Amino acid sequence: MMRLIGVYKSFGGKDVLKDVSARVDPGDFIIVRGKSGSGKSTFLKILGGFLKADHGKILWKGEDIAGYKERERIVWRRENLGFVFQDLQLIPYLSAKENVCLPMVYQGMKQKDAQNRAERLLNMVGCGKVMNQDPKKLSGGEAQRAAIARALGNMPGLILCDEPTGSLDTQNAKTVMKLLKTVNRYRKTVIVVTHDSSLEQYGNRVWDIAEGRLKERC
Amino acid sequence: MLREALRYLLRHKITVFLTSLGIAVSISCILSVRFLSASVQTALEEKLDEFGMKTVTVDLFRKDGLPASFEEDLVRKGIVTMISSRTVKVSQIDGEMTAVYYAEPSFFDLTSLSLARGRFFTGADLDRKVCVIGSGIAENKKNVIRLGEEIRIENTAYEVIGILAEDSYDLNGVYDEAVIVPFEGRYPEGYVLMLSKEETEKSLADALGEYLDEKEFAIHTNADFQSSMRTVTDLVAGVLEWIARISLFVSAFGLMSVVYITGAARKKEWGIRKSAGAGKRDILVQLLMESGMIAAAGFLEGTILSYGWITVLSSLLGLPLFADWKELWEIGGMTVFFGILAGIVPAWRAANATVAECLEA
Ligand SMILES: Nc1ncnc2c1ncn2[C@@H]1O[C@H](COP(=O)(O)OP(=O)(O)OP(=O)(O)O)[C@@H](O)[C@H]1O
Ligand SMILES: [Mg+2]
């Protein structure tokens, strides 16, 4: 589904990713681990097309998305990508439901349909009761689950999560990971970046990033 | 997207209010200038109407086509009333020469002269020797002249039947030192024609047209004076309005800096939106809408504000409440346009920031 071939990225002479090659298959649940500053977020941003690699190819179903123009990248993102951030990243002046509607609205879905779908998604992640609340009235766990619901809004094939449990307690972290596992069962590819080793159990594959290199654990 | 922009603004009412205040003040200035110039104009015209707005002067380029009595004809037809004056010696009044006006009774209908005592003369008095005197004549240095007493103008006695209030004036001047007597069938050299109440310049022109060709006379009315007056007030109002418009433009810069700062502070939001599939245009449009709406809010505040003080001002100064509310659309459109203009730079910046730099914020 997705292949990275010889990807390099450096910031001001400092190599963050060196010759990274990898292969993602449909239905994978990949845990990417590494120390702070090892380049995990950078790696995820390159996968999502938010950051340009200095070098190398990123193939999506055989097509090189690294060479995409801005416009093409936006369209690709709308169709294929869901993104979950580390810290709570809901837009504060929109309700949970409106936040979930965002990707659908940008995709061009009708307001009414988007709302229906947002309600179903929020019910699915267990936030049905708080969907009309402001983000700041949501608990950390609820907010992160709402953010996952938003990432699912455009029915993406690939969901990228940057430290989705980073600001949650163990209990909430568990719920969120289980939710992602459920999502993964619908043959959606999930890539979770984390420094937390206890999350490894949820993935079917584990990658390590260290000194700019990516290695798959066997 | 409109809803989201509106939602953002409603959540940040204080920022919106403070930002739009500058615009509101400028709008108030524009509206007030317009109101004041329109009111002053109207008030001025009313005043002019009051004191002999209907005075006309006639230039004759050919006199031989006219019967000697054409002025009397015009008066008899009721088209004009006449007033003429000469200065003569009046007894009872110290040494000086006094202005004596010869007037039709209808003259009093056309001016704003008012009486302190007595009455004006009417048609019934035309054969009698009566007069109306100014307040300065009634109490001159030599004598105090009361109602019913007589004064002598060139050896003819005239009974005083009315005394004008102090400071009585019309376009001819102040009447304090004047004596007004009924028209005596013959006009001295200079005279002023005043159009009768219901008559217009056109009927005078028609009447003159019976004797003369169109090109042989010209009629001048106060409209000439009025229009030059209007040019001056329009000029002053125009300059003031441009100053107010410039202040609107300047407050648009204030709006720009606020949208710029808040736009930059919302980097994270743009990052979220972009990663949720928002394109440049989505973000551009949202910010432009927001700044346009802040400007619109300022416009509304300014309109309400100035409506308030215009009402107060007009009742305080006794000016007529006049404002062309239709022009509001034009001003409103201009304000929103400025608002959107002010949003362009900040919106452009937010829209073109990469997701990576937005997320790092
Ligand atoms: N825009 C940037 N400009 C310069 N340096 C950057 C930039 N983004 C990341 N870096 C550097 O690249 C390295 C990797 O950063 P990255 O954010 O990918 O680490 P990470 O593994 O996600 O760390 P953490 O676990 O703390 O989130 C860091 O040393 C960081 O300082
Ligand atoms: Mg990181």
Side-chain angles (χ1 to χ4, degrees):
Chain A
M1 182 170 89
M2 199 173 201
R3 287 193 60 179
L4 277 73
I5 305 169
V7 170
Y8 284 84
K9 181 73 193 177
S10 63
F11 291 108
K14 186 182 151 208
D15 295 331
V16 177
L17 297 178
K18 281 181 270 185
D19 192 18
V20 169
S21 296
R23 185 197 150 100
V24 181
D25 292 314
D28 270 348
F29 194 133
I30 302 168
I31 304 292
V32 182
R33 284 211 47 213
K35 286 186 293 198
S36 179
S38 58
K40 305 183 295 290
S41 296
T42 306
F43 173 69
L44 213 57
K45 283 174 193 165
I46 288 175
L47 280 183
F50 299 137
L51 206 60
K52 272 202 160 152
D54 298 337
H55 238 284
K57 284 186 176 164
I58 301 156
L59 300 178
W60 172 261
K61 292 174 181 164
E63 241 185 282
D64 188 6
I65 64 168
Y68 272 3
K69 291 204 186 69
E70 168 85 6
R71 182 84 225 142
E72 295 168 314
R73 212 171 307 137
I74 290 170
V75 174
W76 173 77
R77 205 179 285 151
R78 277 180 190 164
E79 284 168 4
N80 301 300
L81 186 71
F83 204 99
V84 179
F85 303 90
Q86 171 173 353
D87 32 352
L88 312 171
Q89 296 271 26
L90 296 175
I91 293 175
Y93 60 89
L94 299 178
S95 71
K97 187 161 91 185
E98 286 164 325
N99 264 285
V100 176
C101 282
L102 284 178
M104 301 182 248
V105 172
Y106 287 133
Q107 221 179 24
M109 206 186 272
K110 275 197 218 111
Q111 193 73 36
K112 190 90 206 123
D113 298 340
Q115 285 192 350
N116 284 339
R117 192 171 149 73
E119 279 171 26
R120 263 183 288 137
L121 283 170
L122 281 163
N123 280 324
M124 202 183 96
V125 301
C127 291
K129 286 204 183 84
V130 292
M131 64 187 171
N132 290 317
Q133 300 268 21
D134 271 5
K136 64 170 175 275
K137 288 188 187 150
L138 267 51
S139 75
E142 283 168 339
Q144 196 56 292
R145 278 179 279 147
I148 290 170
R150 183 176 66 198
L152 296 172
N154 53 340
M155 295 185 270
L158 176 65
I159 295 163
L160 305 177
C161 309
D162 193 350
E163 307 268 11
T165 61
S167 50
L168 302 180
D169 58 35
T170 341
Q171 196 50 48
N172 272 310
K174 232 177 178 171
T175 325
V176 161
M177 288 312 286
K178 277 186 181 156
L179 178 61
L180 287 172
K181 190 82 206 164
T182 316
V183 170
N184 173 243
R185 290 210 186 91
Y186 290 90
R187 280 190 70 74
K188 290 188 187 301
T189 306
V190 178
I191 302 180
V192 172
V193 150
T194 180
H195 62 270
D196 182 354
S197 60
S198 70
L199 301 187
E200 284 171 13
Q201 49 172 312
Y202 295 95
N204 63 335
R205 301 166 76 184
V206 178
W207 292 352
D208 286 303
I209 294 186
E211 273 138 29
R213 299 190 187 275
L214 184 130
K215 272 198 210 90
E216 171 136 25
R217 234 186 272 168
C218 304
Chain B
M1 201 165 330
L2 186 71
R3 262 191 6 182
E4 285 181 18
L6 200 62
R7 180 70 67 84
Y8 174 79
L9 298 180
L10 288 177
R11 285 297 161 86
H12 299 85
K13 288 195 199 80
I14 294 182
T15 315
V16 171
F17 177 72
L18 291 179
T19 314
S20 58
L21 211 59
I23 292 168
V25 170
S26 310
I27 292 291
S28 285
C29 287
I30 294 180
L31 291 180
S32 305
V33 168
R34 289 208 176 179
F35 156 74
L36 281 177
S37 68
S39 305
V40 166
Q41 199 93 256
T42 322
L44 214 67
E45 278 163 23
E46 275 176 12
K47 258 278 158 336
L48 282 176
D49 263 341
E50 222 174 77
F51 50 73
M53 169 38 213
K54 297 211 137 195
T55 305
V56 290
T57 52
V58 180
D59 282 343
L60 297 172
F61 306 129
R62 192 169 76 97
K63 244 189 167 154
D64 48 347
L66 286 171
S69 61
F70 90 98
E71 293 103 331
E72 284 92 332
D73 288 347
L74 291 176
V75 174
R76 214 173 327 103
K77 284 177 186 157
I79 294 166
V80 295
T81 188
M82 311 192 95
I83 179 166
S84 63
S85 65
R86 57 198 185 113
T87 40
V88 291
K89 178 91 185 71
V90 178
S91 60
Q92 285 99 352
I93 300 167
D94 56 24
E96 296 158 33
M97 300 285 271
T98 303
V100 176
Y101 288 83
Y102 297 87
E104 295 288 328
S106 53
F107 165 74
F108 295 109
D109 298 336
L110 294 175
T111 57
S112 55
L113 298 183
S114 56
L115 285 164
R117 259 162 292 154
R119 61 181 181 87
F120 293 126
F121 50 81
T122 65
D125 297 310
L126 282 183
D127 299 330
R128 299 174 53 205
K129 296 290 178 201
V130 294
C131 67
V132 173
I133 59 174
S135 58
I137 300 281
E139 279 174 46
N140 64 73
K141 284 175 200 147
K142 206 160 132 191
N143 269 311
V144 173
I145 304 169
R146 298 197 177 75
L147 277 184
E149 289 180 2
E150 285 189 338
I151 58 171
R152 299 186 78 82
I153 303 169
E154 290 182 330
N155 296 323
T156 313
Y158 290 83
E159 184 194 336
V160 175
I161 60 167
I163 296 172
L164 293 174
E166 241 173 272
D167 289 329
S168 284
Y169 62 94
D170 71 1
L171 272 194
N172 293 321
V174 181
Y175 286 81
D176 283 356
E177 303 295 335
V179 176
I180 308 171
V181 301
F183 160 70
E184 293 179 326
R186 226 164 39 78
Y187 292 95
E189 285 311 291
Y191 56 84
V192 177
L193 287 181
M194 297 178 86
L195 279 177
S196 303
K197 263 220 164 100
E198 260 69 56
E199 300 297 334
T200 62
E201 204 183 325
K202 171 101 178 30
S203 36
L204 177 58
D206 287 346
L208 283 173
E210 285 179 24
Y211 312 111
L212 295 172
D213 191 74
E214 213 178 285
K215 289 190 185 98
E216 291 169 336
F217 65 89
I219 299 168
H220 306 286
T221 64
N222 265 334
D224 303 344
F225 171 65
Q226 228 170 350
S227 76
S228 57
M229 199 80 158
R230 185 181 282 269
T231 313
V232 174
T233 50
D234 278 355
L235 187 74
V236 173
V239 169
L240 287 177
E241 169 144 354
W242 271 104
I243 293 172
R245 279 189 195 218
I246 289 168
S247 90
L248 177 64
F249 190 73
V250 170
S251 45
F253 273 95
L255 172 62
M256 178 156 88
S257 70
V258 172
V259 177
Y260 192 91
I261 293 165
T262 55
R266 284 158 78 189
K267 261 196 171 164
K268 225 166 201 166
E269 177 184 338
W270 311 134
I272 298 169
R273 285 181 184 277
K274 284 181 183 183
S275 63
K280 278 185 193 179
R281 190 155 45 116
D282 296 307
I283 286 163
L284 199 69
V285 170
Q286 186 182 347
L287 264 174
L288 290 183
M289 268 199 273
E290 284 179 13
S291 67
M293 284 195 291
I294 294 176
F299 170 70
L300 282 181
E301 290 160 24
T303 307
I304 293 165
L305 200 72
S306 45
Y307 185 79
W309 89 42
I310 283 173
T311 313
V312 172
L313 217 68
S314 67
S315 67
L316 273 183
L317 299 181
L319 293 172
L321 177 62
F322 175 88
D324 196 347
W325 297 106
K326 259 183 282 171
E327 287 176 17
L328 277 182
W329 288 111
E330 187 225 292
I331 302 174
M334 184 175 71
T335 312
V336 173
F337 175 74
F338 276 167
I340 291 173
L341 220 59
I344 286 179
V345 173
W348 188 257
R349 229 187 106 101
N352 282 290
T354 66
V355 183
E357 65 182 275
C358 287
L359 293 180
E360 273 154 21

